[in-house]
Amino acid sequence: MQEKLLDYYKAIEAASLQMLDAARREDWDGVVRCEGACAVLIEQLRFKAQSSELPREDRPEKMRVMQRILRNDAEIRVLAEPWLTHFDQLFDSRLQMIH
């Protein structure tokens, strides 16, 4: 079966949901793994989009999928912010030790 462009968007959405689940569990290694899977899927989508066009009837569903991906991403960022702040503090303290 040949995959449609919409299938790639849905796969990216599923990976972003897995990333969100990992962030909710504070499994930051899992977040990074899912982020890598998303990157691969996005590249596959870009490649497929060079030779395929999203049918007009799939465009509303694509927009719904994209909105869910963006909501997942926003929540991941909120959950990651304390971790990123901690990382920045660690990084800053190590830089100060070097100087």
Side-chain angles (χ1 to χ4, degrees):
M1 177 181 112
Q2 186 168 352
E3 292 190 0
K4 301 184 326 182
L5 283 179
L6 188 58
D7 295 331
Y8 288 94
Y9 286 101
K10 288 180 178 181
I12 293 166
E13 178 190 8
S16 78
L17 186 56
Q18 289 177 338
M19 194 182 329
L20 176 56
D21 289 340
R24 286 175 175 159
R25 294 188 315 273
E26 297 184 8
D27 175 9
W28 304 114
D29 290 334
V31 170
V32 171
R33 280 191 302 276
C34 293
E35 185 177 32
C38 279
V40 169
L41 289 165
I42 290 166
E43 283 306 310
Q44 290 173 342
L45 171 62
R46 284 185 182 142
F47 180 77
K48 180 74 173 174
Q50 292 175 1
S51 61
S52 299
E53 188 173 319
L54 189 70
R56 181 178 297 285
E57 63 270 11
D58 287 347
R59 292 178 187 168
E61 179 63 16
K62 174 200 167 195
M63 292 306 295
R64 287 189 292 273
V65 168
M66 292 298 297
Q67 288 171 346
R68 290 189 297 262
I69 291 169
L70 291 172
R71 278 194 299 269
N72 291 345
D73 183 64
E75 188 173 342
I76 291 164
R77 289 176 190 276
V78 167
L79 292 168
E81 185 140 338
W83 179 83
L84 291 172
T85 301
H86 177 71
F87 178 77
D88 284 343
Q89 290 169 349
L90 285 173
F91 188 70
D92 286 344
S93 66
R94 290 208 174 140
L95 281 178
Q96 289 174 1
M97 288 178 8
I98 292 172
H99 293 293

